[in-house]
Amino acid sequence: PNPVLDKVFVNFPQSMVGEVITLQLFDLEGRKLMSKEVKGSGVELDVRELPVGLMILQMSAGGEVISKRVKKN
């Protein structure tokens, strides 16, 4: 769901499945809030400890970078 309360569920595009994917969450001022490396088709991120507001979720693998907005209530 978006906005989220405590968890962000991320499904990776088929082009990233099988790759090591770097996930990063940034606030709107560019400060890194979270960074994690994962492998698979998706992941669940616990964001309970992060501040309320808009964030940018960045996924990168194999030269491909995808950014999405996430709102935490």
Side-chain angles (χ1 to χ4, degrees):
N2 195 4
V4 301
L5 293 175
D6 57 357
K7 294 183 186 200
V8 175
F9 300 95
V10 183
N11 292 314
F12 304 129
Q14 189 61 38
S15 60
M16 289 185 174
V17 173
E19 301 281 336
V20 175
I21 301 162
T22 302
L23 291 172
Q24 298 181 91
L25 273 173
F26 298 93
D27 66 14
L28 293 183
E29 294 180 13
R31 291 182 293 238
K32 190 185 306 181
L33 303 171
M34 177 187 287
S35 183
K36 186 175 194 173
E37 286 192 344
V38 297
K39 194 170 183 178
S41 61
V43 70
E44 177 182 298
L45 300 175
D46 184 347
V47 295
R48 281 180 278 187
E49 301 299 320
L50 298 181
V52 170
L54 288 174
M55 299 176 276
I56 303 298
L57 171 66
Q58 187 177 75
M59 300 175 274
S60 57
E64 183 177 3
V65 178
I66 298 172
S67 297
K68 300 285 184 181
R69 287 185 302 184
V70 176
K71 182 178 181 184
K72 181 176 184 254
N73 286 341

